[in-house]
Amino acid sequence: MVMSKPPSDARIRARNEAKILKAAVKIFSLKGFDGTRIAEIADASGLPKANVYYYFATKEAIYETLVERLLTGWDKTLEHIVADREPREALSAYIHAKLEYSRRHVIESRFFANEMLRGGRFLSSGQKKHMQDITRERVEVIEEWIRQGKMVAVEPNHFFMMLWAATQFYADFTTVAAVTLNKSQLTRDDYDCAYETIVKTVLDGCLIAE
Amino acid sequence: MVMSKPPSDARIRARNEAKILKAAVKIFSLKGFDGTRIAEIADASGLPKANVYYYFATKEAIYETLVERLLTGWDKTLEHIVADREPREALSAYIHAKLEYSRRHVIESRFFANEMLRGGRFLSSGQKKHMQDITRERVEVIEEWIRQGKMVAVEPNHFFMMLWAATQFYADFTTVAAVTLNKSQLTRDDYDCAYETIVKTVLDGCLIAE
DNA sequence: AAAAAACCTGACCAAAACGTCAATTTTTGA
DNA sequence: TCAAAAATTGACGTTTTGGTCAGGTTTTTT
């Protein structure tokens, strides 16, 4: 006699797609698109492979869904950069938020890093444009601050990329960071220290005038 | 009748291994270890697959050879950081050298980024130790500069990681940079501008005191 | 309660991938 | 010059992989 399970409160499709995507982003983030086997995704999500195919037609479909869905998180942190805040305060907040994102969303961060490393093959031109627009808005804020004499005349795009790189680093290259600091894992203190270092350096520079 | 080719001046083994490794690093850097097919390496190096196997027993062997060989380039740029130079001059030189390396050795840079992104599975503990030692030496230089009152008291490890990230970025995430700058490719000017931005910001900060 | 819709999955397939090998050609060294 | 060593490669065998499918079960709808 077969017992029927109690009807799941959550929609079945939603629940299973979530399982699959959660497992997938982890493996994609570690092995990239070409290196990922769907059987592995199936195992990791606790579903038989054929069931994965019931929800997603191809490997590409899974990957594209993730790209689309994770792109949203991309701009969240940038919201701190607004013209009516003081640069010191706004930039500190951005760096903090971005580091926090790197710490708490290592996998998603790496997923994107992987995609970029491969040249953004799966980014639609629409998505690229979105990234551009988001960045341009913030670049304009920087330009405004420069005009107001609150910041030195740095090239805003490269300035942003520097901040992005410095913070993204802690998600993508945790291994390098751990090796450098001679630890097996990064703790919250390490992230705090990273924050201090980046903020202090970027805002006020590292040199002491003679 | 079959003509025998003139005897190659270069040793055959050396020449073919070089061909294979050159093709391999390119593909590995784009697709990572798991994503790379040996047939593809064979095609790219213009050798039949069986011939690739004649020189390298497994895919791992190729990959490990590359890790070992490319690790050497890792520390080159750090040589600029020496205690008897002035920090401004030394750090500028380092940033310049690292950016130049990113520009001219995109593929090798990405190869390592890929490896790190995957957690450095193929790095032996000896190689990790090497990276640590190299870094520690330079950290000591920074500490010396701080002691001499030439630099503000930043955490040297994180300070280095920041520089590393900011410069490495231009090799690993060329795509992001290109999208941001709305170009299809980065030119030398872009790298120069990156240099200016990073140096100015890191050394003197981005803020103007009121 | 019964039909319809949604969900599940073991078994299967064709293509691709890794790796082997025996037979041949080329190069080297005495 | 000629035998041994090194290099080359087409063809093959095995395993893995992406993807399919038919037939079943469960859930939803009416």
Side-chain angles (χ1 to χ4, degrees):
Chain A
M1 170 176 186
V2 180
M3 292 289 290
S4 66
K5 290 172 196 160
S8 50
D9 40 345
R11 230 71 251 92
I12 293 177
R13 170 170 282 272
R15 181 163 42 85
N16 280 343
E17 282 184 0
K19 269 190 201 170
I20 294 167
L21 291 173
K22 188 177 172 186
V25 69
K26 193 164 187 172
I27 299 171
F28 278 135
S29 78
L30 224 52
K31 307 194 171 180
F33 180 79
D34 300 290
T36 295
R37 306 287 100 111
I38 331 197
E40 212 178 339
I41 295 179
D43 286 351
S45 54
L47 262 41
K49 190 174 55 134
N51 204 357
V52 171
Y53 275 103
Y54 175 74
Y55 289 106
F56 294 95
T58 59
K59 191 158 77 159
E60 277 86 351
I62 304 181
Y63 196 86
E64 277 161 14
T65 305
L66 283 170
V67 170
E68 182 63 33
R69 207 167 285 194
L70 296 181
L71 202 59
T72 319
W74 210 82
D75 24 328
K76 283 271 178 57
T77 49
L78 282 167
E79 287 166 10
H80 295 278
I81 313 283
V82 281
D84 53 9
R85 295 181 79 177
E86 282 304 303
R88 175 179 294 275
E89 188 201 351
L91 291 173
S92 299
Y94 168 68
I95 291 166
H96 187 81
K98 189 83 202 319
L99 272 175
E100 194 66 8
Y101 188 86
S102 282
R103 189 175 72 83
R104 299 178 53 153
H105 302 275
V106 191
I107 291 170
E108 294 92 329
S109 286
R110 283 189 185 182
F111 177 87
F112 259 102
N114 236 314
E115 171 62 14
M116 295 310 165
L117 215 54
R118 279 139 223 265
R121 276 189 294 167
F122 282 89
L123 282 182
S124 70
S125 58
Q127 288 166 331
K128 285 184 184 168
K129 187 150 186 337
H130 174 74
M131 288 170 64
Q132 257 178 13
D133 293 344
I134 294 292
T135 312
R136 183 156 43 240
E137 277 176 42
R138 307 305 152 169
V139 160
E140 278 162 20
V141 174
I142 301 280
E143 281 165 349
E144 176 61 21
W145 282 336
I146 294 175
R147 231 176 287 124
Q148 293 175 358
K150 291 177 173 173
M151 273 185 66
V152 298
V154 292
E155 207 290 316
N157 289 291
H158 287 285
F159 179 73
F160 255 126
M161 290 192 259
M162 192 183 80
L163 294 188
W164 194 84
T167 48
Q168 182 76 15
F169 173 89
Y170 288 91
D172 300 344
F173 301 111
T174 322
T175 309
V176 178
V179 167
T180 303
L181 298 171
N182 199 18
K183 297 187 162 191
S184 59
Q185 259 194 338
L186 296 192
T187 67
R188 179 187 274 274
D189 282 351
D190 295 316
Y191 281 85
D192 288 345
C193 189
Y195 169 74
E196 296 296 340
T197 308
I198 297 173
V199 166
K200 197 187 287 185
T201 308
V202 169
L203 295 182
D204 300 316
C206 70
L207 294 187
I208 294 175
E210 290 185 52
Chain B
M1 169 176 187
V2 180
M3 291 288 291
S4 67
K5 290 173 196 161
S8 51
D9 39 346
R11 223 94 230 92
I12 294 177
R13 167 167 284 271
R15 181 164 41 86
N16 281 343
E17 282 184 358
K19 269 190 201 169
I20 294 167
L21 291 174
K22 188 177 173 185
V25 69
K26 194 165 188 173
I27 299 170
F28 279 134
S29 77
L30 224 51
K31 307 196 172 179
F33 180 79
D34 300 288
T36 296
R37 306 288 100 114
I38 326 201
E40 212 178 340
I41 296 179
D43 286 352
S45 54
L47 262 41
K49 192 175 52 135
N51 203 356
V52 171
Y53 276 105
Y54 175 74
Y55 288 106
F56 295 94
T58 60
K59 191 157 76 158
E60 278 85 350
I62 304 181
Y63 197 85
E64 278 161 14
T65 306
L66 282 171
V67 170
E68 182 63 34
R69 208 166 286 193
L70 295 181
L71 201 60
T72 320
W74 211 83
D75 24 328
K76 282 271 177 58
T77 50
L78 283 167
E79 287 166 12
H80 295 277
I81 313 285
V82 282
D84 54 8
R85 295 180 80 176
E86 283 302 304
R88 175 179 295 274
E89 188 200 351
L91 291 173
S92 299
Y94 168 67
I95 291 165
H96 187 81
K98 189 82 200 322
L99 272 175
E100 194 65 8
Y101 188 85
S102 283
R103 190 175 71 83
R104 298 177 54 152
H105 302 274
V106 190
I107 291 169
E108 294 91 328
S109 287
R110 284 189 185 183
F111 177 89
F112 259 102
N114 237 314
E115 171 63 14
M116 295 310 166
L117 217 53
R118 277 139 226 266
R121 277 188 294 166
F122 283 89
L123 281 182
S124 69
S125 59
Q127 288 166 328
K128 285 185 184 168
K129 187 150 187 335
H130 174 73
M131 289 170 63
Q132 258 179 11
D133 293 344
I134 295 291
T135 311
R136 182 155 44 237
E137 276 177 43
R138 305 306 152 168
V139 161
E140 279 161 19
V141 174
I142 302 281
E143 282 165 347
E144 176 60 23
W145 282 335
I146 294 175
R147 228 174 289 126
Q148 294 175 359
K150 291 177 173 173
M151 272 185 66
V152 298
V154 292
E155 207 290 317
N157 289 290
H158 288 285
F159 179 73
F160 255 125
M161 289 192 259
M162 191 182 82
L163 294 188
W164 194 84
T167 49
Q168 183 76 14
F169 173 89
Y170 289 90
D172 300 344
F173 302 111
T174 322
T175 309
V176 178
V179 167
T180 303
L181 298 171
N182 198 19
K183 297 186 162 191
S184 59
Q185 257 195 338
L186 296 191
T187 66
R188 179 188 275 273
D189 283 350
D190 295 316
Y191 281 85
D192 288 345
C193 189
Y195 169 74
E196 296 295 339
T197 308
I198 297 172
V199 166
K200 197 187 288 185
T201 308
V202 169
L203 296 182
D204 300 316
C206 71
L207 295 187
I208 293 176
E210 293 187 52

